[in-house]
Structures are given as C-alpha cells and as structure tokens.
Amino acid sequence: MNEHYLTLELHKILEALVNECSNEASKKAAGEIEPSTDLDTVRLENARTFDAYGACAKIGSPSFFGFSDVSSIANRAQSGAQLSLRELLDVSKMLTQTEALLSWRRQLEGDFKLDFLFECLFDNKRLNDKITNAIISEEEISDNASPELASIRRKIVSASAKIRESLDKIMKSSDTKDYLQDNFVAVRDGRYVLPIKSEHKNSVAGLVHDTSASGQTYFIEPMAVVEANNEITILKGKEQEEIERIIKELSAECAAFGEQLASDYSACVKLNLYFAKANLGAKMAATVPEISDDGEIILNKARHPLIEKSRVVPVDFRLGGEFDSLIITGPNTGGKTVILKTVGLLTLMTMCGLMIPVSDGSKVTVFEKILVDIGDQQSIEQSLSTFSSHMNKVIEILGTVDDRSLVLIDELGSGTDPLEGAALAVAIIERIKALGAKLVTTTHYQELKMYALETDGVENASCEFDVKALRPTYRLIIGSPGKSNAFAISARLGLDGDIIKAAEDMLTGESRRFEKILDNLEATRQQLEKNTKLAEQYRAEAERLRDEINAEHKKLAETKDKEVELAKREARSIIERVSRQSAQLMDELEDIRKSKDKEDFSKKVSEQKMQYKRRMNELYDEAAKLEDSGGEYVLPRPLKKGDDVTIVDGGKSGIVISLPDQSGNVMVQVGIMRTKVHISKLRLVEKPSTFNNQKISPKGGAGRGVESRATRKAETELDIRGYTVDEGLYEVDSFIDRALMSGNKVVMIIHGKGTGALKAAVRNHLRTHPSVLSSRKGVYGEGEDGVTVVELK
C-alpha cells in the first residue's frame, strides 16, 4: 500500500472491513481496495454502499455463508471430470446462498442500486435439493440418492443379517465354540469371518483371510457362508457402481449449470463486499457525504474511526472555499495530529467507497494525491536526524504535489532553529499554495500564526485547551490562532512563579505584544461564542412563542368554524322541526278537504298551502343567510348539470345546464330564460333531510320540499297540483330539463282537474316548448284528464 496511506492507517480500516466479509474471495477483495481518483466512480460506489446500508436498516442484513469458489468446480465439471462429494456440497452451499439472497431481495420494495448484481443470480432449487438429498457428508451418499441404491443397500443388509445368523449358530455349536479365540464375528476384506485359535485352524473347514499379529488367531471364513459372502461382495460392487453413476449424473448437471454457477459466485462475492461496507458503516454510525472535485472539504462532527467512539471528541473542519491552507496551532497532546489523520483518513475512506463517521452537511473532495508527513517527535539528541527525515519527506511531497493534491504536514519546519524553521515553513507553504494544492499543517511557531493572519487564502485554527482544568478540549476553532500555553500549564503543574516570571521577561516586546493580541482574540472569541449561544437561545424561544401563537390562532379559527357549524345545524334543525309539524298539519287539512265537497273550503285549504310554502321558503332563506355569515361561501362540491342553485343577486332559483367555463361562468336556466352567471354568485341548493324515509312536500307526501316544491318520481312524473300557474310552469320547465339530461323520452305531468286553469296553462305551454315533440291527455288508468303525457325530443 502507498506509504502515505499507511501513515494515515487506511490498512486498519480495510482490516476491519475484511472482518465483516464471510468468504475468502470477499476478504481478499476488501483487503485490496485502493482509493479511486475518478469522481464518478467514487460517487457510484458510495451510492451503492449507502443503498445497501438503507436496505439493511429497513429489512435487516442478508445472510452470507462461507461459500467456496465454485467457478473452478464448474470448469472441472464442464471439462468432463467427476466431482468429489466435497465439491458437490460446495455447489449446494453456493446455491443455498443464492436462494437466500434472492429471497432477501424479494422482501425489499422498489429499485435497488445493487440490482445489477442480483440480476446475475440464478436460482436452481432443483439441483440444490438433488445434491442435499443425495449426499450426507464428504464421505457418505444417502439411500435417498436413487431407488436403485436404496434397493441394493436393503439387499446387503438382508444378506449380512443372514450371514451373522449362520455364524452365530456356528459359534454356539458345541463342536466349534472351543475353537474360537473370541466370541464375535469379524470382517476381513469385506467378508464375514470367525477368529479361530491357531492350533485349531485345521478343525474348521473354510478359507483363511488373515492372521493376528501374534499368530495366535486365524480369521477363517467358514464354507457355509462363502456363497453368502460372495453375494454381498457382488452387491457392494453394484452399490459402488450406482454411487459412481449418481455422482456422474450430478457432475453433469453441475456442468450444464456451470456458467450460472460462476455468475452466482462472482455476484455473491461482490454483494458480500458491499454489505460488509454497509455493516462497517453502521458500526461506525457513519454516512455518505457530498462528493465533489472542487477541492472543498467540510467535515461536521467528524470522528476518527479507529478511536473508540466514547473517547473521541467530534470536530468540525473545513478547507477550501475561503482558504486553501490551514495552519493549526495549540499545545502538545491537544489533538492537532489526530485532526490531520482524521481529515486524511476520512478522505481516503470516501475514495474507497466507504461511509465515514460525520454528520449531515459534510463534503469530501476526490483528490488525485494525498501526500502526508506525520511522525512522532523524537528526542533532542536525535533532532538532526529528525529534521533530515522530515525535510526528505517534504522534498518528496514538493516533487509530486499539484493542484489535485491534499497535503498534510505535522509540525512543518520543526527540528531545527526556530527562526530558520519558521522561515522554511512559510516558504514551503507559499510553494504549495502556488501549485494550487490544499494544505493542512500544524505548528508551534508564532511566525506562522502571524503569516496566516496577514495572508489571503491562509487561515489559522487552534485546538482549544482548558487552562483551568489543565486538559485539552479537542475542539478545533477555525479562524483563531492558538497558544502553546506553556507558562499557564507550568504554573498549574506547580513550577515556581519566579521562574515563570523570569521566562516571561525574556520574551521580546514583539512576542509579548503578540501573546497579548492572542489573549484578546481568545477572549473576544469566547465572548462571541457566548453571545452566539445566547442569541440561539433567544431565537429558539422566539420560534417557540411563534409556534404557540400560530397554534392558538389555529385553535381560535377552528372554534369559530365549529360555532358557525353549530349555528347552521341549529337553523336547519328549527326548519326541519317546523317542516315536520307543518307537513302533519297539511296532511290533516288534506284529509279534511277530501271529506268535504264545498268549494270555499277547498279554496281555503289551497290558500293555507300557499302560505305554508312561502313560510318554508322564508325559513330556508334564513338558513342560507346563516351559512353566508360564516365567511366566504365555498361550494360543498363541484357543480354538475341538473343541480338546483340560487343566484345571490336577486335570489332567483334555477338549474345548472352547463359546467363552468375557463372564466368560471355557468349557464343557468331560470324559468324559460337562460342566463350566464359567475360561479361565485351561485349557491348550491341541497336537498332537505328525510323523515321516516320520505321527503317533505307541501302535500305531506314524498317530494322535494323547498328545493323544487314539487313531487317527482324517478324524474318521469311531476306532481304540481295545488300550484299557481306561474309556479307550475316553472316546475314544468325545470322537470323537462332534468328529464332530458336523464335521457327520459316520455314523462307525465300531474296537474289535476280543479278549475282547469293550471291544466290549460300547462298544455298551452307544452305546445310551444322547444323540447316537446308531442303531448296528450292521460287515458283510463293514467289519470285521464288530470294528467298530461309528454313525449320529448
């Protein structure tokens, strides 16, 4: 690995990534990752890692097994080789891994940036089941491998049982048991034999297969079981032939699926690596920053990933934009070197497609080179070698640096005379700036602090130190030079005050003035920080009060709306209550009228009905006023043809015969006239509530109440009995318009006989109506002269 990358300890991050992988190929790929310098590649790799991270957060991480390289196994099978049981089991494990990954993908909804790898996976459950059913271990084939194998093995077991039974009888025989060395059946060369004492070897007729090491025992196969042993030998030969046939068949199937197996293996290795990156990011509580090539680095709440999370203090860092060079100062052990390593390592991790432990709003640049000189300080006796080693690295950096480089140098110019070292450091910074590179360096030199204050494109930063607690806070303060705090630390440690004062007196006037300036800057910064925190508190309080006011305003508005709605409901309740009572009264009057024949009585009833209708109209008008008083009127739903509406200007009622045009104008039929009215001037007339499953009508029967004030049945009949001529004709026109829109061609108007005035007016009106094709009086069963049947065009 590149020496600069080793200095930043990228190899340790890759080792952690290796530990997240489950198989050797993925581990090898993880350990060999190199930072990419191509912007598009870095963005793509980070996007894939982050998508894997998000998927794991949704449905959990997929399971990965320690699968082997089956591509080489597939190649052997395709060349005609017979695979071993171990290799077949490796193929099965690969197929099981593929099945698990595809099952996991089916749980994930939507597009996935790793789908290009999942598309390279091929499911072959049939082959996997065949292998797992056939092979028990690396050394054993299952009886389930084939019916023939199961049959052969049953025959072997049966034959073996018969031989044992025969040998048991021989062993228990009085003629033989005294010849036995041991009372058990042995197996030699796959044949069942008896252990016979050497002195009785000629007493048992049979074949000698073996002798013991001492020569005291002869293993003899009695002639009585020779034929049975021969049968078992033949069966075992058949068993081996069947096993070889099964393995050959499985090997052939693996060969036929060879290309898919190789594709499965390659995809699983890559998927394992991506999910290892995602799991490592999850352990680091990491995310993906904005990635660019403009030279800007912004790290918010950045943590060094190799330092335990509970011990590291997050830092905010930025470089590029306003300044290209950052000079970090502060006391020893204040965290300056850690910041250098954090910036370099997080940049390298991003270029490797790894998530980094930062918060939202962070940004990382893809550099062509990351050049580093970071080393531990050595003793004074070795200062010359330290300076030489340091300068050799700086010279190497200056020989390769360009405008696509990030340079990180610890203690630039240290290890030699301070004045010369500071002068060298300034000259080196100037050269690096001139070449267009981004630079972060640490120093103790006051000359470099002053240089940063006076030079455009160069900024001071300091590692904060708590003098009272005598420990660093590890916060990075950009824009403010730091102090070494040597006097303050020495005093807190107990160094004699006279010594400290003598040391202070030795400082030059310029040095004292500079230290005084730094003290003032630090005090001003701390005060500004306090003021900023206070302003933030005030802002938060103001936002809280604003939210409370908005919530109260919303609550008042909702209360107002509720009160208006209650008023509307109350008004409608009154109307409906009066309507029910009036309907009952009118029903009673109608019953009385039917029992009387006097004309003056009928006239009084009709007058009473007309007064009732006028009163109902007045009540509904009052309800409409209550609705209008609740604020700007909004139609409860979009208008449609056939809706009954009221025109605000003039209070006329009409029927919508066309939908609103682009200007919001609606064509409304008012009696025999048609007029164009803007939608804002219309009020939708809602149908009144029902009582006992009937709508209120002037006659107390089923009807439209105030909405149309006439009884209609499925838009084919209109009952206008008891209406005045003007009212009746208005209802006829409205009824015909609705009938036409409903597609009815024949309708009936019920006007009654009465005085004949309403009947005559209706029939005369129908003769000239543009939508009427013909009309006739009703026949027997239809209502005769009391109705008119109309045929529409």
Side-chain angles (χ1 to χ4, degrees), residues 296-322:
E296 187 173 18
I297 301 176
I298 301 174
L299 303 177
N300 295 324
K301 303 292 185 245
R303 292 177 285 106
H304 195 289
L306 296 176
I307 301 177
E308 188 178 338
K309 187 176 179 181
S310 60
R311 294 175 52 202
V312 66
V313 177
V315 297
D316 294 328
F317 177 91
R318 71 180 190 274
L319 179 68
E322 298 176 2

Side-chain angles (χ1 to χ4, degrees), residues 220-332:
I220 299 176
E221 177 186 6
M223 296 304 295
V225 298
V226 168
E227 191 61 33
N229 268 328
N230 288 341
E231 181 183 355
I232 290 177
T233 300
I234 292 171
L235 287 172
K236 287 188 174 181
K238 291 182 178 180
E239 177 190 27
Q240 188 59 38
E241 289 176 359
E242 180 62 14
I243 288 174
E244 290 180 359
R245 187 196 67 78
I246 292 167
I247 294 175
K248 187 175 182 180
E249 180 181 312
L250 292 174
S251 299
E253 291 201 34
C254 290
F257 199 65
E259 293 182 4
Q260 290 87 341
L261 283 172
S263 177
D264 286 346
Y265 174 71
S266 176
C268 285
V269 168
K270 293 173 183 176
L271 285 170
N272 188 207
L273 181 56
Y274 279 117
F275 282 104
K277 289 180 178 181
N279 291 336
L280 182 62
K283 288 183 177 180
M284 292 181 179
T287 189
V288 173
E290 177 187 348
I291 301 170
S292 72
D293 59 356
D294 61 6
E296 187 173 18
I297 301 176
I298 301 174
L299 303 177
N300 295 324
K301 303 292 185 245
R303 292 177 285 106
H304 195 289
L306 296 176
I307 301 177
E308 188 178 338
K309 187 176 179 181
S310 60
R311 294 175 52 202
V312 66
V313 177
V315 297
D316 294 328
F317 177 91
R318 71 180 190 274
L319 179 68
E322 298 176 2
F323 51 91
D324 296 330
S325 300
L326 186 67
I327 298 175
I328 303 176
T329 54
N332 290 328

Side-chain angles (χ1 to χ4, degrees), residues 70-95 124 126-128 130-132 135 246-264:
V70 296
S71 56
S72 58
I73 296 175
N75 289 335
R76 288 191 64 246
Q78 287 176 323
S79 66
Q82 182 171 297
L83 302 180
S84 67
L85 297 186
R86 172 70 266 167
E87 289 173 324
L88 289 171
L89 288 174
D90 285 342
V91 170
S92 175
K93 185 177 286 188
M94 185 73 261
L95 293 173
N124 194 338
R126 189 188 67 80
L127 176 57
N128 192 15
K130 200 168 183 179
I131 293 174
T132 54
I135 302 175
I246 292 167
I247 294 175
K248 187 175 182 180
E249 180 181 312
L250 292 174
S251 299
E253 291 201 34
C254 290
F257 199 65
E259 293 182 4
Q260 290 87 341
L261 283 172
S263 177
D264 286 346

Side-chain angles (χ1 to χ4, degrees), residues 128-144:
N128 192 15
D129 290 344
K130 200 168 183 179
I131 293 174
T132 54
N133 289 335
I135 302 175
I136 295 175
S137 68
E138 297 181 26
E139 298 158 350
E140 186 177 2
I141 290 282
S142 170
D143 294 348
N144 298 326

Side-chain angles (χ1 to χ4, degrees), residues 3 11 14 81 99-100 110 187 276 315 342 362 365 372 451 456 493 542 585 602 692 726 752 754 760:
E3 178 187 357
H11 61 288
L14 297 183
E99 290 174 14
V187 178
V315 297
T342 300
S362 297
T365 283
V372 182
Y451 167 75
D456 292 337
L493 291 173
L585 177 60
S602 296
N692 299 323
D726 289 339

